[in-house]
Amino acid sequence: MTDPAPLAVVTGASSGIGLELARQFAAAGFDLVVNAEDAELTAAAASLRETGVSVQEVRADLSSYDGVEQLWAAVQATGRPVAAAALNAGVGKGGAFLDNDLADELQLIRLNVDAVVHLAKRLLADMVARGAGRLLVTSSIASTMPGPYQAVYNASKSFVQSFVEALQSELRDSPVTLTSLMPGPTETEFFDRAGLRNTLLGRPALHDDPAQVAEQGFRALMEGKDKVVGGSLMTKAQAVVNALLPDTVKAAGHRLAAKPRDEPRD
């Protein structure tokens, strides 16, 4: 008898970085539990099955407590330990804070922040009890700067980055590893859904390839690294510069990049 394949869980797996992360796991021989809230998940899961691995799709909205519990129940129902997980589901929201709908902003927080904490609690408790496991959390280089015209999104990623770094310290004596993936602007559905196409930040020519970002994130996860800036050399250089610049300067730059083009320029 051969040992069963390791099991990986990937959220936000219907497209973009999440789907590419799932492909990385599949190529490495992991069976998969994949999650998203949209109908694209079915086609994504079908494409992943073509690699020969087992794929279970769980369509659930992680911006709700019940949605997270639905996913966790499906994972537990496999009866298999989770060897690795990628918490990638997230959403953005462009525009001026006072103009945006409050419900949209609060839903962003529930998905980008609440769901990460909720799933990390479930997954890490099990991994630490077993003494094995790897967790990847998609943060962003947006976590390193204030985000005018994307204020709640950047703040949510700052939370995520701080959260992961704190857990890394708490679990430093455990064999369980946590890795944060910090992409720059990446060409996915994110910019359409966030209403950011009408900005400099939303220009596809300036975006990285999600497959490249996912490959770098997966490699960092498997190597047990604390974090990786995913994407091109330009994105990596931006992260280095961000570490040196004062927040006021970074905020001014983000304001120019994220401000809608139909609004007056500063």
Side-chain angles (χ1 to χ4, degrees):
M1 295 180 64
T2 59
D3 292 333
L7 181 68
V9 177
V10 183
T11 69
S14 61
S15 64
I17 295 171
L19 176 55
E20 296 297 339
L21 282 168
R23 286 174 174 155
Q24 289 288 324
F25 280 111
F30 284 79
D31 287 339
L32 291 163
V33 175
V34 293
N35 156 263
E37 54 82 25
D38 55 86
E40 291 178 84
L41 182 64
T42 298
S47 71
L48 292 166
R49 291 188 187 100
E50 293 175 359
T51 66
V53 302
S54 170
V55 181
Q56 179 179 349
E57 58 186 281
V58 181
R59 189 173 173 187
D61 181 2
L62 301 187
S63 68
S64 72
Y65 183 95
D66 289 344
V68 176
E69 287 297 303
Q70 178 186 342
L71 172 58
W72 180 238
V75 172
Q76 289 183 300
T78 67
R80 300 168 61 183
V82 177
L87 305 187
N88 173 78
V91 67
K93 182 63 179 177
F97 174 71
L98 293 181
D99 294 339
N100 288 341
D101 186 73
L102 176 60
D104 291 340
E105 308 269 349
L106 294 177
Q107 184 177 27
L108 182 156
I109 293 169
R110 287 193 294 269
L111 181 59
N112 293 13
V113 175
D114 292 11
V116 170
V117 173
H118 192 161
L119 275 173
K121 181 77 76 172
R122 299 292 188 232
L123 288 161
L124 288 173
D126 182 65
M127 289 177 175
V128 171
R130 289 187 292 109
R134 302 177 185 274
L135 183 65
L136 179 73
V137 181
T138 300
S139 174
S140 172
I141 62 169
S143 69
T144 68
M145 69 190 88
Y149 294 98
Q150 209 179 359
V152 177
Y153 173 77
N154 282 40
S156 75
K157 291 302 182 179
S158 294
F159 176 96
V160 167
Q161 186 62 32
S162 177
F163 177 64
V164 172
E165 291 177 7
L167 294 184
Q168 287 168 345
S169 180
E170 288 187 21
L171 299 179
R172 65 185 180 184
D173 297 324
S174 167
V176 175
T177 65
L178 290 92
T179 303
S180 68
L181 171 58
M182 303 173 69
T186 304
E187 185 50 28
T188 68
E189 296 176 359
F190 173 90
F191 293 93
D192 298 302
R193 292 176 175 177
L196 285 164
R197 285 298 183 190
N198 190 32
T199 67
L200 179 62
L201 191 64
R203 292 175 58 186
L206 302 177
H207 295 171
D208 291 331
D209 178 1
Q212 179 189 44
V213 171
E215 188 276 331
Q216 293 172 1
F218 179 78
R219 186 169 68 243
L221 173 71
M222 301 310 291
E223 292 175 355
K225 293 183 177 179
D226 287 344
K227 64 182 177 181
V228 60
V229 175
S232 64
L233 290 176
M234 183 177 295
T235 297
K236 295 178 187 296
Q238 181 185 352
V240 172
V241 171
N242 281 353
L244 303 174
L245 292 175
D247 284 347
T248 52
V249 174
K250 289 184 286 189
H254 196 285
R255 177 187 177 93
L256 292 174
K259 194 171 187 178
R261 294 180 190 175
D262 55 0
E263 291 194 14
R265 295 286 143 183
D266 295 325

